Amino acid sequence: MMLDGQFGTYPYTVANNTLATSLFSSLGIPETPLNVLGLVKAYTTRVGGGPFPTELDWEVPGTVGYHLSTVGAEKGVTTGRSRRCGWFDAALLKRSAQVNGLSGLCITKLDVLDGISTLKLCTGYELDGAVTDILPMGAEEIARCQPIYEDMPGWTQSTVGVTDYAALPPAAQRYLQRIEEVTGVPIHMVSTSPDRDHTILLRNPYAA
C-alpha cells in the first residue's frame, strides 16, 4: 500500500496501483464484494527510499534491526537489495486496512521475533505536537511523525514450525492479540517459517 502512487508515500512509490481495489481496473472485471486478506510481517520492512517512522538501525551487528534483517533474510528476491527493517507499525496497518478494506490479516515471519527480549509496537505518532493513531496521508507528514511505542515482552522459545495457536508462547499470543486490538482487524492466519505447511489457520479467510 505504501508504494501506491496515490495513497502511498509519493514520490517514493511505483508507477502502478498497488491497492486491493486495483484488481478491478487492472483485470477489467466489474466490481464485486471482496474478502481482502492483508499480508503483513510481524515487523515492518521497506525497500528503497521514503519515510519510515519505525525504522531501526538494521545495519549494525548486535542490534534488533540487524537481527530482523539477517534472521528474516530481508533482501529482495529479484534485486538482492536489502530491505530496511523496523518495529511493527500498527498505525500504518490501520490506514492500510481502511484504504484496502481488509477483512482479515495473515501475519508472516512471527518466528523472526524469537529471542528478542522486549518488543515495541507502534500504536500511533506524535505529529506537530498532536497525537494521531493512524498514518497520515503524504510523505512529508509521515516524515515528521515520531512513533509512540508500547513495550511488550518477547519470548525465548522457538516458534519455528508451530502450526497450533495454543502451542505458541503466551507472549507471542498476546503480541498477536494486541495487533488485532489496535488495528481492529482479526488475524486469520499466522506463518511461522518459510515452509508453506508451517501455518496456523485461525479462521477461513475466504469464508462468506
Side-chain angles (χ1 to χ4, degrees), residues 85-208:
C85 298
W87 294 118
F88 191 93
D89 192 336
L92 186 159
L93 181 56
K94 192 172 182 179
R95 176 67 76 187
S96 182
Q98 179 191 69
V99 173
N100 288 285
L102 300 184
S103 52
L105 298 173
C106 173
I107 304 294
T108 67
K109 294 193 170 185
L110 182 69
D111 56 294
V112 175
L113 300 183
D114 292 355
I116 301 176
S117 59
T118 301
L119 303 173
K120 291 183 179 291
L121 183 72
C122 175
T123 58
Y125 317 103
E126 183 178 335
L127 173 61
D128 300 337
V131 173
T132 178
D133 65 353
I134 192 169
L135 186 81
M137 303 295 276
E140 292 184 358
E141 281 193 308
I142 296 172
R144 299 199 304 274
C145 285
Q146 297 299 316
I148 297 172
Y149 288 119
E150 181 176 305
D151 288 353
M152 302 196 68
W155 54 90
T156 56
Q157 307 97 307
S158 173
T159 63
V160 176
V162 173
T163 57
D164 180 5
Y165 184 82
L168 290 175
Q173 295 182 33
R174 179 56 188 150
Y175 182 72
L176 296 171
Q177 291 164 4
R178 189 60 181 143
I179 290 173
E180 288 186 316
E181 292 168 359
V182 175
T183 63
V185 185
I187 294 175
H188 291 332
M189 304 168 66
V190 180
S191 172
T192 57
S193 94
D195 192 314
R196 287 178 180 267
D197 293 333
H198 294 164
T199 301
I200 301 170
L201 182 63
L202 298 173
R203 305 174 183 87
N204 183 345
Y206 305 111

